[in-house]
Amino acid sequence: MREITLGKTGITTPQNAFGALPIQRVDKDTAVIILRKAYDGGMTYFDTARAYTDSEEKLGLAFEGMREKIYIASKTMADTPEKLREDLDTSLRLLKTDHIDVYQLHCVPQCYRPDDGTGMYEAMLEAKKQGKILHIGITAHKIGVAEDIVASGLYETLQFPFSYLASDRDIALVKACEDAGMGFVAMKGLSGGLLTNSEACMAYMSEYPVLPIWGIQRECELDEWLSFFERDIVMTDELRSFIENDRKELLGEFCRGCGYCMPCSVNIVINQCARMSQMIRRAPSKAWLSDYWKKEMLRIDECIDCGLCKTRCPYELDIPNLLRKNAADYKDILAGRVIP
Ligand code: SF4
Ligand code: SF4
């Protein structure tokens, strides 16, 4: 397994890391089993966030007594220094540790800078001085914000969506991070569940100086990622042509399932309904045609075009139209006019 050093932080870890958002959805005992198995299987970098409900607590339970063997990255969505300090203390308590290796400002709307009047960057510096955090990181979803962050030279790591659907601009961002001595942490390596060939995803990552954090909820998913510690995955002609075909099929406006646009004013489950056409074809399951999803998809007809969701989508998608396209396709599938 190739190792990655996250820029000037000096953190070196296998290029195969654990994203701890999905373990919110399993009970504590199961989460602890999965996290310990991930470590035993070779993973040493674990990424969580204050916003992931009890994910930090589960990491704390799993790794108590072996803190120095792993790297912990967490995040805060605070927008004031007071809230940041409060979040950080809560994270430290739940993680059962006195320091976080990489502490990130989470999904920022802008690049926080010293003297910008928010006090956010100063609060991160203070936490670093106190030893509560070792490195200052940041996460963003908008390419313009991410480019601004890299150009600022203020952050040690950047976390940004990166998968084999990356654009030339995304790839240039990775290069800019490398040139700036910043670590690049790749989130959404499966593009929110749309990409299902883990070998292709891993092979793609192996071609770039990035650290993928795979969101893992089930032991069977973990086993797939851990298997790459046993057999190195490299890019082959076969995988390259698979990726090329998949890119042709998917590039353009598509929903990554992140959920940042929610809640919807009329409670449409946007992060699933806006990508139903793809999910139904790429991750087929009878469950998508259940009464539950029929009802949720019908709710799209109730969209009042308030536009709220559009202001929150980091990918600037035209969500109401995307939803309507998905609803029309879904109705065609249900009526047998289209075979998915
Ligand atoms: S525009 Fe439609 S989908 Fe978006 S928040 Fe408003 S009602 Fe919901
Ligand atoms: S519409 Fe945008 S914000 Fe909402 S889930 Fe999809 S990608 Fe995320």
Side-chain angles (χ1 to χ4, degrees):
M1 170 62 59
R2 180 185 176 202
E3 295 214 311
I4 278 285
T5 298
L6 285 178
K8 291 178 192 152
T9 68
I11 291 175
T12 300
T13 182
Q15 196 181 26
N16 193 359
F18 196 105
L21 181 149
I23 58 161
Q24 293 174 98
R25 303 183 204 118
V26 300
D27 63 60
K28 282 182 192 160
D29 289 345
T30 309
V32 168
I33 290 169
I34 290 175
L35 287 161
R36 288 299 290 260
K37 185 172 177 180
Y39 169 75
D40 291 338
M43 290 184 172
T44 61
Y45 191 95
F46 295 82
D47 182 90
T48 181
R50 189 73 292 282
Y52 303 164
T53 61
D54 62 0
S55 167
E56 289 177 318
E57 187 188 353
K58 287 166 173 163
L59 254 79
L61 291 171
F63 298 128
E64 192 172 10
M66 50 179 288
R67 174 67 185 90
E68 297 313 319
K69 295 184 174 171
I70 56 160
Y71 295 109
I72 294 179
S74 191
K75 326 182 182 77
T76 172
M77 292 192 98
D79 54 7
T80 64
E82 296 72 32
K83 181 75 175 98
L84 186 150
R85 285 191 279 271
E86 186 193 317
D87 271 3
L88 177 55
D89 287 342
T90 306
S91 294
L92 290 170
R93 179 172 51 79
L94 294 172
L95 287 162
K96 298 181 189 290
T97 183
D98 61 0
H99 69 280
I100 290 170
D101 297 282
V102 179
Y103 197 53
Q104 303 150 107
L105 297 172
H106 193 174
C107 192
V108 294
Q110 67 187 82
C111 172
Y112 290 110
R113 294 179 155 81
D115 299 321
D116 64 5
T118 65
M120 294 297 288
Y121 193 79
E122 287 86 344
M124 291 291 264
L125 278 180
E126 179 194 283
K128 189 171 177 182
K129 211 165 149 196
Q130 292 169 333
K132 291 182 176 180
I133 69 175
L134 302 191
H135 302 287
I136 298 178
I138 194 160
T139 85
H141 287 75
K142 289 191 176 173
I143 185 79
V145 176
E147 287 166 344
D148 197 20
I149 287 165
V150 179
S152 78
L154 291 166
Y155 293 86
E156 293 167 273
T157 64
L158 169 71
Q159 188 174 133
F160 191 75
F162 190 73
S163 72
Y164 65 64
L165 300 179
S167 64
D168 288 347
R169 202 168 160 191
D170 297 330
I171 293 169
L173 184 72
V174 171
K175 176 82 176 66
C177 266
E178 189 182 25
D179 292 347
M182 274 178 86
F184 189 106
V185 180
M187 65 164 123
K188 306 215 177 292
L190 300 178
S191 202
L194 278 184
L195 312 183
T196 50
N197 181 336
S198 59
E199 259 190 56
C201 293
M202 186 57 116
Y204 186 81
M205 294 294 181
S206 74
E207 302 217 297
Y208 294 95
V210 302
L211 176 63
I213 44 167
W214 310 110
I216 294 165
Q217 175 175 344
R218 296 183 187 86
E219 218 173 321
C220 60
E221 294 162 1
L222 173 64
D223 289 343
E224 219 168 313
W225 299 117
L226 292 185
S227 74
F228 299 136
F229 283 97
E230 308 297 326
R231 53 185 185 107
D232 262 346
I233 296 293
V234 287
M235 188 59 81
T236 59
D237 289 345
E238 202 183 326
L239 286 173
R240 212 180 290 283
S241 94
F242 172 88
I243 288 173
E244 266 321 301
N245 286 335
D246 226 18
R247 280 175 60 91
K248 274 185 209 137
E249 203 175 297
L250 275 172
L251 278 184
E253 291 228 322
F254 71 97
C255 167
R256 279 78 167 171
C258 64
Y260 289 117
C261 53
M262 292 155 75
C264 155
S265 305
V266 297
N267 293 324
I268 297 167
V269 187
I270 301 174
N271 63 338
Q272 289 299 350
C273 296
R275 57 186 191 143
M276 184 59 84
S277 295
Q278 282 127 335
M279 294 309 283
I280 226 163
R281 287 171 175 84
R282 303 175 62 86
S285 157
K286 282 193 181 135
W288 297 124
L289 300 173
S290 64
D291 287 346
Y292 174 84
W293 282 112
K294 281 180 198 163
K295 201 167 137 230
E296 293 303 329
M297 289 301 288
L298 264 184
R299 208 190 293 272
I300 292 173
D301 294 341
E302 293 168 28
C303 169
I304 51 170
D305 274 301
C306 67
L308 249 186
C309 53
K310 282 167 71 171
T311 64
R312 302 185 192 128
C313 176
Y315 307 99
E316 295 170 1
L317 297 179
D318 182 353
I319 298 173
N321 274 330
L322 201 53
L323 284 168
R324 282 182 201 115
K325 270 190 214 160
N326 276 268
D329 181 48
Y330 192 77
K331 283 174 191 167
D332 282 345
I333 291 169
L334 286 181
R337 290 189 289 275
V338 168
I339 313 279

